[in-house]
Amino acid sequence: MPSYDPDNIFAKILRGEFPAYKVYEDDRTLAFLDIMPQAPGHTLVVPKTAARNVLDVEPDDLAYLIKVTQKIAKAAMTVFAADGLNVFQFNEPAAGQSVFHLHFHVIPRKQGIALRPPASFKEDPAVLADQAAKLAAALKG
Ligand code: AMP
C-alpha cells in the first residue's frame, strides 16, 4: 500500500488550506459535508491523524472515529428527516477510495430514493452552507 500523502485534499482541509462546510470538530476528528453528495446531508468524518485508510490507522483512532461517526449519524437522521442511513468506508482504489485520508461517509436516506452515483452531482454552495449550519447546530445542542 502506498504511504500517506500529506497533500491530499482532506489533509489540506484539516490544515485550513482548503475550505469545507464543517459540521463538527473536536481535538481528534473533523466532519464536513461532501461537496458532491450522493444524497442530501452526505457527510464525511475524518480523523486528524495521518491515516490513509482503515488499513494503517491506529486502532484507538479508528475506535474514536466510529464513535464520532455515530454521533453525526444520529444528528443527520433528525436534521435531514431520514428514513435510514448508510455508513460507507472504502480502502484503496480497487475498493472505490478516491481521497487517501481515512473517512467515513454518513449518508441519510429517504425510503424509495436511490443514491446518486459518486461524484455525479456538485451541490449548490448556498444549499451546502444552509445544511452545514443546521447539522452543526443539532450537533451542538
Ligand atoms: P471516497 O471515494 O470514499 O474516497 O470518497 C471521497 C469523497 O470525497 C467523495 O464522495 C467526494 O465527493 C468527496 N470530496 C472530494 N473532494 C471534496 C472536498 N473538497 N470537500 C468535500 N468532499 C469532497
Side-chain angles (χ1 to χ4, degrees):
M1 184 169 87
S3 58
Y4 181 81
D5 174 6
D7 284 331
N8 75 76
I9 189 70
F10 295 170
K12 289 182 181 176
I13 288 172
L14 284 167
R15 290 195 296 266
E17 296 167 9
F18 201 84
Y21 297 91
K22 295 182 184 181
V23 300
Y24 175 84
E25 183 163 18
D26 63 26
D27 57 337
R28 298 175 70 180
T29 60
L30 177 68
F32 51 90
L33 295 185
D34 196 306
I35 55 172
M36 292 177 277
Q38 290 182 254
H42 184 164
T43 302
L44 303 169
V45 194
V46 309
K48 291 190 172 178
T49 49
R52 181 173 165 92
N53 55 41
V54 83
L55 301 171
D56 64 342
V57 67
E58 287 298 323
D60 283 353
D61 291 331
L62 181 59
Y64 188 73
L65 186 65
I66 196 68
K67 278 189 191 180
V68 172
T69 299
Q70 184 190 38
K71 188 193 299 261
I72 307 296
K74 287 181 175 180
M77 283 293 291
T78 305
V79 169
F80 296 97
D83 302 312
L85 178 135
N86 290 113
V87 174
F88 291 148
Q89 191 278 320
F90 305 121
N91 302 282
E92 298 303 314
Q97 187 176 10
S98 62
V99 176
F100 300 97
H101 182 106
L102 174 61
H103 52 282
F104 280 103
H105 296 254
V106 173
I107 311 183
R109 302 294 303 272
K110 296 273 198 190
Q111 189 67 42
I113 299 183
L115 286 182
R116 296 183 194 105
S120 63
F121 165 77
K122 203 153 192 244
E123 185 57 277
D124 178 344
V127 170
L128 290 171
D130 180 62
Q131 291 174 339
K134 288 183 176 139
L135 188 51
L139 283 158
K140 264 192 200 130

